[in-house]
Amino acid sequence: MLTVSRSDVKRKLRLMSNEYDAEIDALIAEMLPALRYALEPEYLNSNDADLRATLNLGALEVIAGEMSATLYREVGVWTGFRLGWLQVEPPALRNPRDPSGLKAQGYARLKPFLKRDAQLLFVYRVREEEGE
């Protein structure tokens, strides 16, 4: 059985408040069945505790990564400010669809256990820097 809890998602993202609890619960409810469906039943039903932990960790990373992207898209979260000589700007991110890199990490962790025709679509490309 695949399980992800709200507290695990909050721990992974280092969220301390309860402000996003409803969003996290909704995200778990909508993503977990899709992830479960994409995995081979023989792996889901395995008695191997380490395999189950690996699958749960992959699902947690995917869901936490999606929540991270949701937080990134929040209006005003990534605006800078200037106060006298001090100027603070948000960090430049490589991929706004996966700002933490957790989605890519979770999908990579789950990939060996997917059904042959599973359609978990996630494209992650690292832009090559000039001069490398």
Side-chain angles (χ1 to χ4, degrees):
M1 184 55 124
L2 205 56
T3 58
V4 173
S5 71
R6 177 194 323 143
S7 62
D8 289 338
V9 173
K10 289 173 72 170
R11 177 186 50 80
K12 195 62 113 170
L13 294 175
R14 300 185 65 86
L15 294 174
M16 302 301 167
S17 74
N18 296 329
E19 182 179 356
Y20 299 103
D21 286 0
E23 284 184 66
I24 293 170
D25 290 343
L27 202 56
I28 291 170
E30 73 184 20
M31 291 189 76
L32 202 56
L35 291 171
R36 192 179 302 122
Y37 180 75
L39 295 169
E40 284 286 351
E42 69 182 80
Y43 298 122
L44 282 174
N45 299 327
S46 173
N47 291 327
D48 185 349
D50 292 337
L51 174 60
R52 285 195 316 263
T54 300
L55 296 177
N56 286 332
L57 179 58
L60 169 62
E61 290 168 340
V62 170
I63 292 170
E66 185 60 38
M67 186 63 200
S68 173
T70 300
L71 294 172
Y72 176 78
R73 291 187 297 263
E74 239 179 61
V75 176
V77 168
W78 292 101
T79 57
F81 67 90
R82 183 178 197 143
L83 183 62
W85 57 267
L86 176 66
Q87 183 172 349
V88 177
E89 293 184 9
L93 297 174
R94 295 187 308 185
N95 186 349
R97 288 174 290 170
D98 189 15
S100 63
L102 283 170
K103 283 196 312 190
Q105 184 174 312
Y107 282 126
R109 193 178 307 278
L110 293 175
K111 187 177 179 184
F113 310 106
L114 294 176
K115 292 178 183 174
R116 184 175 185 171
D117 297 327
Q119 295 296 315
L120 284 180
L121 298 177
F122 182 75
V123 178
Y124 181 74
R125 295 186 186 135
V126 176
R127 187 174 9 147
E128 301 218 6
E129 299 295 325
E130 290 183 29
E132 284 187 18

